[in-house]
Amino acid sequence: MTARDIQLDQNGRLRHFLTTEGLSQQHLYEILDYAESFVGVADRAVKKVPLLRGKTVVNLFFEPSTRTRTTFELAAKRLSADVLNLDVSTSSATKGESLQDTLRTLEAMHCDMFVVRHANSGAAHFIARQVAPHVRVINGGDGRHAHPTQALLDLFTIRRHKPDIASLRVAIVGDVAHSRVARSEIHALNTLGAREVRVVGPRTLIPSEIEAMGVRVFHDVSQGLADVDVIIMLRLQRERMRSALLPSEHEYFHCYGLTQKRLRVARPDAIVMHPGPINRGVEIDSEVADGERSVILQQVSHGIAVRMAIMALIMGSVVPASAAED
Amino acid sequence: MRIRIRNGRIIDPAAGVDRQADLFIAEKIIAAVGRSPPGFQADREIDASGKWVLPGLVDLCARLREPGAEHKATIASECAAAVAGGVTSLCFPPDTDPVIDTPAVVELIHRRARAARQTRVYALGALTHALAGERLAEMHALKRAGCLAVTNAGHPVTNSEVLRRAMEYAASCELPVFLHAEDYDLRNGGVVHEGAISTRLGLPPIPAAAETVAVSRALMLAECTGARVHFCRLSAARSVALIAEARKAGLPVSADVGICNLRLTVDDVIGYESNCHLNPPLRTLADQRALRQALADGTIDAVCSDHQPHDLDAKSAPFSMTEPGASTIELLLPLLFGLVHDGTLPLMRAVAAITQAPADILGIEAGTLAMGAPADVVVVDAQEAYTVRAQEMRSAGKNTPFAGWEVAGKISHTLVGGRVVFGT
């Protein structure tokens, strides 16, 4: 609904990757299937495929990030692209340059793709509307709106453990109100027909009328986790305690923190996920984060393959899977 | 200059008139309606056959951006836009730079508006010094300089004691208080109505309570201070109910609604449409229905343009970083008449809401075509449809949410004080 027109070309193929909302099952499965072919790349002696050779990818980060930026950088480099990292939060933006001027300057350097992270919802959408027709935009997280590559790598991880997504109950726990990851996951899981998507948290962290996105809301964690197959814990930002949303980390952990004991109400084979970076003892107990049900580190390594797939797809560099494997 | 406007349909709710007749103008005033005054020789005739002849529009809120933001618009540019929209009197909120909290700024604005020789401009005075919400503005001096009302515009008065005293003081100056009802803390930096759309788009939300809590507080204070309060630009259904209740109890309050809230809803924000970034925000269809109903039944007295021209850069950024407001003054009449054409509003009520009602709220002699009234007149071809194009707007602000809309109601002539200021 939000960006459907702009992220697809006339033939309905991905041109930009801005949100999971409005994408079809076919779009999502195409990315997931293509990503499978890149998983092996990291294990080779030469960790590169030549799909984006001669292309320039700019990581345009208006918000500080280490993890996401690094995986995008690695993904682009493994596709043989030239990569430019721009941490705009510490450069031109502070000199008063407008977002539009920053974009025009970079375009004049003939870049082919922007990976954008920005604190404002809709920023990637805005940028996609501004750039020249040949330039591609990937949303690396915009405000509270969307983080679609994270959602796809989470789906990829889920599918590796539980191939039949339509049979799954998934609980997303924590600060849903401020989470772009949660929103992108909800759209993607519903598109793939997940049996049930739940959001779990105190009323202060569940946004208004989220039921309209196709989720069930739980304020009690034991009820919310009962019989689920997948648990996605969200990071709790410390500043939520400074506003009037939560009294303390201690009380939050007591009410919503994921412990071994709480995990017992979920399905015995439930997996535990977290987009990172994790706050041990705030939203998740170390015993769970490092436990056998946790797939948190797999998420990170899958992130590179999934981002490679998305970059290659939107640059139109789709080649038969065999070519990527040779 | 003696003007005869021939053969139009004269619609004047203030006088209860709706009939085919000629209008005679002499010495800047309405000389007669219907029968020619003895010995009247027209210097000029305007043929209004098939057209409607209305009192000039009175707009309770239009920002002209001067002084302080001349890169967006000027008094001259926006007064020209106003008359193109049939607006012959308008109120100018004090959130300029410098703020309208001294007689000097009032005089500056009134002088420049007179020099523009277009629409009549009424600067509204500040309620608190520098609009800071801390101490009282010199309301008596502002009144003497020509301010008809005082307001803190969109700036918060978070301290209820300050608001109470400001209302008491305004009441003793016999100045109405225009209130933009918004609880600053509940708004909490929000940019769009709180609900399914804000959640989906991930935009910081503004709950309806940000308005209803402020309306409730102001109503309670109006009760104990005796101030005459006018609520500007209501957006929420619940606010309307509160106002209706207060009026029933006899409280002397009035209210208006911005034209955008009557024609758009929060759904129009989808796609991060920055031209639909407004304050107060666009709300739900249910809110829009309640606002329309309240306008029809008179709970809401008036409709204003809430004209806010912006430069291109102000709207060209990610949604939350754009400045709120739309350039609307040229479309106030056709957009409101759209609600008449589709049967939502009776014609007389619609015309009253942009003429007689706002004139009464301001206490100015305007908004009527009665004999002896100032000859502020609009001639409009109510049936003529056209497509809104931003580039064709006279306002320096091209930020319209209505680009591409088909509207009906083309203004052919606007007269201010018996002088044709728009149309040939």
Side-chain angles (χ1 to χ4, degrees):
Chain A
M1 178 160 75
T2 54
R4 186 185 302 166
D5 305 334
I6 194 165
Q7 71 178 347
L8 302 181
D9 66 16
Q10 310 96 300
N11 303 318
R13 297 191 57 84
L14 276 172
R15 205 160 78 88
H16 303 294
F17 193 61
L18 307 177
T19 168
T20 51
E21 186 178 3
L23 296 183
S24 64
Q25 286 203 0
Q26 201 187 335
H27 286 123
L28 299 178
Y29 280 128
E30 187 182 19
I31 295 167
L32 297 178
D33 292 343
Y34 197 30
E36 291 286 353
S37 69
F38 291 112
V39 171
V41 173
D43 301 327
R44 294 187 211 162
V46 178
K47 296 185 176 61
K48 275 193 192 240
V49 290
L51 289 172
L52 294 190
R53 187 154 56 199
K55 303 287 187 191
T56 307
V57 174
V58 180
N59 277 328
L60 196 53
F61 276 56
F62 294 88
E63 228 183 31
S65 153
T66 315
R67 174 182 305 241
T68 304
R69 205 207 60 205
T70 312
T71 54
F72 269 112
E73 184 178 352
L74 272 175
K77 284 182 169 163
R78 288 186 183 165
L79 291 167
S80 310
D82 296 313
V83 183
L84 189 64
N85 286 318
L86 269 178
D87 191 357
V88 194
S89 56
T90 58
S91 67
S92 36
T94 49
K95 291 175 196 155
E97 185 175 75
S98 80
L99 179 49
Q100 271 180 309
D101 287 330
T102 307
L103 282 177
R104 287 192 188 120
T105 309
L106 290 168
E107 268 190 340
M109 299 176 199
H110 301 288
C111 300
D112 302 285
M113 182 186 291
F114 293 124
V115 177
V116 184
R117 168 167 288 195
H118 199 286
N120 287 112
S121 300
H125 188 169
F126 172 76
I127 288 168
R129 277 202 265 193
Q130 305 283 320
V131 295
H134 73 277
V135 176
R136 300 287 179 261
V137 178
I138 292 179
N139 187 358
D142 63 325
R144 311 170 185 182
H145 171 234
H147 194 353
T149 62
Q150 178 73 40
L152 264 289
L153 76 87
D154 291 344
L155 280 181
F156 186 88
T157 309
I158 292 171
R159 195 173 70 155
R160 285 211 145 193
H161 290 271
K162 302 185 180 296
D164 181 18
I165 289 178
S167 69
L168 300 182
R169 286 199 175 95
V170 181
I172 303 173
V173 184
D175 185 4
V176 179
H178 299 89
S179 175
R180 50 196 173 210
V181 175
R183 285 174 175 80
S184 286
E185 282 168 343
I186 291 166
H187 289 306
L189 285 164
N190 280 326
T191 300
L192 296 187
R195 183 170 167 195
E196 188 180 335
V197 183
R198 302 175 177 180
V199 294
V200 184
R203 283 172 199 277
T204 48
L205 298 181
I206 302 292
S208 166
E209 296 177 33
I210 192 163
E211 295 87 345
M213 287 176 71
V215 297
R216 275 183 76 189
V217 177
F218 290 83
H219 303 300
D220 179 272
V221 75
S222 330
Q223 287 172 19
L225 295 183
D227 298 320
V228 299
D229 303 278
V230 178
I231 301 168
I232 301 172
M233 299 304 294
L234 299 172
R235 177 178 163 77
L236 187 75
Q237 308 274 350
R238 288 241 153 72
E239 61 248 36
R240 307 295 169 239
M241 260 64 74
R242 285 197 294 273
S243 52
L245 298 173
L246 289 175
S248 67
E249 290 179 4
H250 177 77
E251 179 152 316
Y252 182 75
F253 185 71
H254 183 73
C255 297
Y256 293 97
L258 188 61
T259 57
Q260 288 291 7
K261 193 169 162 228
R262 288 218 160 107
L263 199 47
R264 278 188 221 133
V265 301
R267 304 244 327 168
D269 58 346
I271 56 170
V272 174
M273 306 174 71
H274 192 300
I278 60 178
N279 292 316
R280 290 166 186 270
V282 179
E283 68 257 358
I284 191 165
D285 195 30
S286 285
E287 214 184 341
V288 178
D290 305 328
E292 55 176 9
R293 315 278 275 282
S294 165
V295 297
I296 295 171
L297 287 177
Q298 293 171 34
Q299 289 174 268
V300 178
S301 40
H302 294 156
I304 298 169
V306 168
R307 285 171 176 132
M308 286 172 79
I310 292 165
M311 285 178 161
L313 267 173
I314 67 167
M315 283 306 290
S317 314
V318 189
V319 291
S322 56
E325 279 159 14
D326 66 23
Chain B
M1 181 80 139
R2 287 160 176 260
I3 299 174
R4 177 176 189 158
I5 300 177
R6 198 182 270 281
N7 217 16
R9 176 179 170 189
I10 294 181
I11 302 169
D12 180 12
V17 169
D18 180 2
R19 66 186 168 104
Q20 194 88 12
D22 289 4
L23 189 72
F24 300 89
I25 294 164
E27 307 301 329
K28 304 180 182 176
I29 61 170
I30 308 289
V33 184
R35 190 167 301 181
S36 170
F40 186 93
Q41 290 283 334
D43 302 306
R44 173 162 184 197
E45 293 209 352
I46 293 171
D47 179 16
S49 308
K51 295 180 183 171
W52 296 0
V53 179
L54 318 176
L57 275 49
V58 180
D59 191 348
L60 289 173
C61 186
R63 286 179 169 80
L64 312 186
R65 303 302 189 196
E66 179 183 354
E70 288 85 349
H71 63 290
K72 292 184 188 293
T74 62
I75 288 174
S77 73
E78 299 319 287
C79 285
V83 295
V87 173
T88 55
S89 300
L90 64 82
C91 288
F92 186 144
D95 51 356
T96 44
D97 181 16
V99 165
I100 308 177
D101 60 359
T102 61
V105 184
V106 180
E107 280 155 21
L108 170 93
I109 289 167
H110 286 169
R111 191 169 61 240
R112 287 191 188 165
R114 274 196 305 276
R117 301 192 76 223
Q118 303 273 338
T119 187
R120 301 176 199 269
V121 171
Y122 298 99
L124 300 181
L127 182 70
T128 62
H129 175 76
L131 302 176
E134 287 161 4
R135 55 194 178 89
L136 305 189
E138 291 180 348
M139 298 182 212
H140 188 70
L142 290 168
K143 184 179 183 183
R144 268 191 309 175
C147 291
L148 301 174
V150 283
T151 175
N152 228 48
H155 293 246
V157 183
T158 47
N159 183 328
S160 299
E161 160 69 3
V162 173
L163 184 61
R164 175 199 170 175
R165 297 303 179 192
M167 284 165 72
E168 280 178 341
Y169 195 82
S172 46
C173 295
E174 292 180 353
L175 280 167
V177 177
F178 280 29
L179 276 181
H180 167 59
E182 180 185 73
D183 186 295
Y184 179 76
D185 296 308
L186 279 171
R187 181 183 174 178
N188 195 24
V191 295
V192 67
H193 171 68
E194 181 172 78
I197 304 285
S198 66
T199 292
R200 187 169 282 246
L201 296 178
L203 290 171
I206 308 174
E211 182 172 291
T212 55
V213 166
V215 168
S216 306
R217 176 179 76 153
L219 286 172
M220 294 305 115
L221 291 176
E223 218 173 84
C224 69
T225 58
R228 187 159 86 64
V229 175
H230 174 70
F231 290 92
C232 303
R233 290 164 288 124
L234 295 179
S235 67
R238 194 74 187 85
S239 310
V240 171
L242 289 167
I243 303 278
E245 213 174 290
R247 295 181 87 138
K248 208 186 278 173
L251 211 58
V253 294
S254 52
D256 72 56
V257 58
I259 188 67
C260 290
N261 290 74
L262 289 174
R263 297 306 309 267
L264 304 169
T265 65
V266 62
D267 288 29
D268 291 293
V269 172
I270 291 169
Y272 298 101
E273 288 305 326
S274 62
N275 283 327
C276 292
H277 180 192
L278 307 175
N279 183 33
L282 296 170
R283 298 197 189 269
T284 64
L285 196 60
D287 290 301
Q288 187 193 62
R289 285 205 190 106
L291 292 169
R292 289 176 172 190
Q293 178 56 42
L295 179 62
D297 70 23
T299 302
I300 290 178
D301 305 81
V303 179
C304 70
S305 72
D306 192 19
H307 179 64
Q308 297 192 44
H310 280 296
D311 53 319
L312 286 175
D313 286 348
K315 287 291 189 184
S316 192
F319 192 89
S320 314
M321 296 168 82
T322 58
E323 294 179 49
S327 177
T328 46
I329 203 160
E330 289 158 84
L331 295 173
L332 173 60
L333 184 144
L335 288 171
L336 187 62
F337 276 18
L339 299 181
V340 175
H341 292 312
D342 72 13
T344 306
L345 271 184
L347 173 62
M348 287 301 251
R349 185 76 257 289
V351 175
I354 47 176
T355 57
Q356 177 198 9
D360 287 351
I361 287 163
L362 287 171
I364 56 174
E365 207 189 342
T368 175
L369 299 175
M371 210 169 93
D376 295 354
V377 186
V378 184
V379 183
V380 55
D381 187 335
Q383 306 307 326
E384 191 181 342
Y386 63 100
T387 304
V388 177
R389 293 186 212 290
Q391 288 318 313
E392 288 168 10
M393 294 186 356
R394 293 199 165 205
S395 169
K398 308 300 181 196
N399 49 307
T400 175
F402 302 103
W405 279 43
E406 185 89 358
V407 296
K410 193 138 199 165
I411 289 155
S412 66
H413 297 84
T414 304
L415 283 73
V416 174
R419 199 166 60 84
V420 179
V421 289
F422 177 77
T424 50

